[in-house]
Amino acid sequence: MSSSDATDRHDGIDMEHQRVLALLKRYGWNATSFQVLEPGYSYWFDGDDACVAYVDTGHAWVVAGAPIAPYERIAQVSERFEAHAAASGRRLCFFATEQRMLDAAPVKGLSIGEQPVWDPRRWEEGVRESRSLREQLRRARAKGVTVREVSPAELKDPAHPLRAGVDRLMERWLRSRRMAPMGFLVQLSPYAWADERRSFVAERNGEVVAFLSAVPVYARNGWFVQHLLRDKKAPNGTAELLVDGVMRAAAAEGRSYLTLGLAPLAGEVAGWLRAARLVGTPLYDFEGLRAFKARLRPHAWDRIHLAWPARHGSPLPVYDALTAFAQGSLARFGVATLLRRPQLLVWLVTVLLVPWTVLLALPANAHRFPSPLVQWGWVLFDVGLTVGLFSLVRRWRTWLATLLGSVIAGDACLTLLEALLYNVPRARGLGDWLILGVAVLAPSVVAVLLFWARHHPTLEPT
């Protein structure tokens, strides 16, 4: 047994990657199995026929999928790796496992979403039966979009015009993301192991407007579409046309399995995960992603799980998995995301405005206003402001941000005036001063935030 870090700068490590690749070609069944060849993973080998790929968060080892091993060895390898993690002072979880591992190993599982699956050989049949899909393909072709497979040589050469076009597309795509860049199973690495990948581009007037990269799922005679990037200016139907291209190429080779990967928090998930899906919508378009995949008429939906050793009942696996995606620090990732997208702060303020408005309306707070008329005037004002802000965060419009910012700036001035003339002379305890401080400072901060946010890129669909 051995454990070592995966990098690309040492000759011995290259041999290690070749060893992992050889195991993948024999036992790589998990849809995301090929991704363990990318930078950032450590490997633990159990004999000559088993490997576990994981990242170390500092407190836990988060495994990418299931162990790469014969099915009959998965339980044994999992238990041995669990013992190795415990001896190293690390918790353990397995992210993006399928039902197969839950059946094979002594682990508990939490459903984290669904993964659409196609048999590419039946794709043409689905296109014929779907009028809406045919219309999307027609729209893209009518706008001059063409799709072609590109060779590894085109992508590996940094000076090649096609590579430059894909680089520009990736740069635009990354700028449009709502969240800071993540690692683990969602890092953007379309040039790694290019000879093993299948890559397709959608072009219009000589410009790359979309890109697709598929990696092999060796043990299932199929492909996993790891990257599907579309320029926001690409014509409608461009993404569908790319998927059509990869499906037809897979069918021509007799492939029997293809997936577009996880639709997170889709399908039957725990109630608290459904709540997380709702709260997290400003960060990630969960419903939109699943709807796009569903429009492509998958032949099945596979449940995807977060798994951990059965003897442990802790909720920490969820935290550990999120930390892996955040590349070590959820706090740092959160700050980076907020700085990247100030509109998210606007969304947070909008949510907090709801309980604040309720508090203002309570009879117990009537003494904080010169009269009931003033109290209900502020309550109605905040209700209208809440509606306007929710409309803004749902669909960002610069003119609306400017209008609301101006209105809230006026709110700040009136609140300060009322505070000086009425509330300050009557303030008695710490609670009064805290409420007064929030009432005066909050609108000023929100006004500044809105004027700042309007000059930054708006939120684009994930």
Side-chain angles (χ1 to χ4, degrees):
M1 303 179 190
S2 68
S3 175
S4 58
D5 291 331
T7 70
D8 291 324
R9 293 191 291 269
H10 192 279
D11 291 340
I13 300 300
D14 285 341
M15 293 176 60
E16 183 180 57
H17 278 92
Q18 292 295 338
R19 183 179 178 185
V20 174
L21 178 60
L23 288 173
L24 285 172
K25 289 184 175 181
R26 294 167 63 189
Y27 308 119
W29 190 92
N30 215 67
T32 57
S33 57
F34 185 86
Q35 292 174 261
V36 306
L37 290 171
E38 296 170 359
Y41 292 95
S42 297
Y43 304 118
W44 179 84
F45 296 94
D46 187 25
D48 295 328
D49 65 345
C51 171
V52 177
Y54 64 96
V55 297
D56 187 349
T57 70
H59 299 284
W61 286 348
V62 182
V63 179
I68 305 164
Y71 179 77
E72 62 273 12
R73 285 257 286 140
I74 289 178
Q76 181 186 54
V77 173
S78 299
E79 291 180 317
R80 289 183 178 180
F81 187 66
E82 179 190 350
H84 179 50
S88 302
R90 295 292 191 269
R91 297 187 295 268
L92 176 64
C93 66
F94 302 82
F95 186 87
T97 64
E98 302 183 44
Q99 186 63 42
R100 182 175 186 257
M101 181 176 178
L102 271 61
D103 294 338
V107 295
K108 295 179 180 179
L110 173 70
S111 177
I112 55 173
E114 294 180 325
Q115 180 171 271
V117 174
W118 290 262
D119 181 342
R121 298 168 300 181
R122 297 168 53 197
W123 171 256
E124 176 60 33
E125 172 188 337
V127 173
R128 287 197 306 268
E129 294 175 353
S130 175
R131 180 178 178 181
S132 61
L133 180 55
R134 291 198 309 274
E135 177 60 19
Q136 288 295 89
L137 299 176
R138 185 201 66 77
R139 286 178 179 176
R141 294 184 181 117
K143 292 291 185 178
V145 179
T146 59
V147 168
R148 66 182 178 93
E149 185 171 3
V150 297
S151 68
E154 291 176 278
L155 293 177
K156 290 191 293 186
D157 180 5
H160 196 283
L162 187 280
R163 166 71 177 263
V166 175
D167 285 341
R168 289 192 295 270
L169 172 66
M170 286 197 300
E171 183 180 355
R172 295 192 298 271
W173 186 84
L174 285 170
R175 283 201 307 265
S176 74
R177 297 302 88 193
R178 304 181 184 188
M179 292 186 286
M182 293 188 289
F184 195 41
L185 288 171
V186 294
Q187 58 185 313
L188 189 58
S189 52
Y191 308 139
W193 298 86
D195 291 325
E196 298 290 331
R197 295 175 179 270
R198 305 297 292 271
S199 301
F200 299 76
V201 293
E203 297 169 303
R204 186 184 186 217
N205 299 326
E207 181 182 3
V208 176
V209 294
F211 174 76
L212 183 152
S213 178
V215 295
V217 186
Y218 296 106
R220 295 163 92 167
N221 186 36
W223 297 344
F224 162 53
V225 176
Q226 182 185 4
H227 304 304
L228 178 53
L229 315 180
R230 173 186 175 273
D231 192 293
K232 64 180 181 179
K233 296 180 180 179
N236 289 339
T238 298
E240 288 86 346
L241 195 60
L242 262 180
V243 173
D244 180 75
V246 72
M247 288 286 187
R248 293 181 185 279
E253 295 183 11
R255 306 291 177 182
S256 57
Y257 175 88
L258 191 143
T259 179
L260 294 184
L262 175 66
L265 305 188
E268 296 181 9
V269 295
W272 64 274
L273 286 179
R274 290 197 297 271
R277 178 175 62 200
L278 178 63
V279 172
T281 296
L283 284 173
Y284 195 93
D285 187 7
F286 297 99
E287 295 295 340
L289 181 61
R290 191 195 188 283
F292 167 74
K293 294 178 178 181
R295 287 197 301 271
L296 297 170
R297 301 173 66 87
H299 300 132
W301 289 88
D302 290 342
R303 194 76 57 82
I304 303 299
H305 305 272
L306 171 65
W308 60 93
R311 62 178 61 90
H312 298 153
S314 168
L316 287 174
V318 175
Y319 169 80
D320 293 333
L322 291 175
T323 304
F325 282 103
Q327 304 183 76
S329 172
L330 285 174
R332 185 173 61 245
F333 176 79
V335 171
T337 296
L338 290 175
L339 292 176
R340 180 185 179 90
R341 285 291 181 268
Q343 292 92 338
L344 296 175
L345 287 172
V346 177
W347 172 80
L348 178 60
V349 168
T350 303
V351 172
L352 293 176
L353 186 57
V354 174
W356 175 260
T357 303
V358 172
L359 287 174
L360 288 185
L362 293 177
N365 286 317
H367 68 282
R368 304 186 190 280
F369 301 91
S371 70
L373 183 62
V374 173
Q375 179 184 13
W376 286 102
W378 280 119
V379 170
L380 292 175
F381 174 83
D382 282 352
V383 168
L385 190 59
T386 302
V387 172
L389 286 171
F390 269 115
S391 175
L392 179 64
V393 296
R394 183 176 183 182
R395 183 168 68 87
W396 189 268
R397 286 148 287 175
T398 302
W399 69 266
L400 184 55
T402 303
L403 175 62
L404 291 173
S406 301
V407 170
I408 295 172
D411 169 18
C413 294
L414 287 176
T415 301
L416 178 60
L417 181 62
E418 180 181 320
L420 293 174
L421 296 178
Y422 183 82
N423 299 100
V424 170
R426 293 167 174 79
R428 293 293 179 265
L430 179 60
D432 286 345
W433 287 107
L434 286 175
I435 292 174
L436 188 58
V438 172
V440 171
L441 292 176
S444 302
V445 172
V446 174
V448 171
L449 180 61
L450 281 169
F451 285 119
W452 174 45
R454 66 180 185 158
H455 295 298
H456 287 69
T458 58
L459 301 179
E460 300 295 339
T462 301

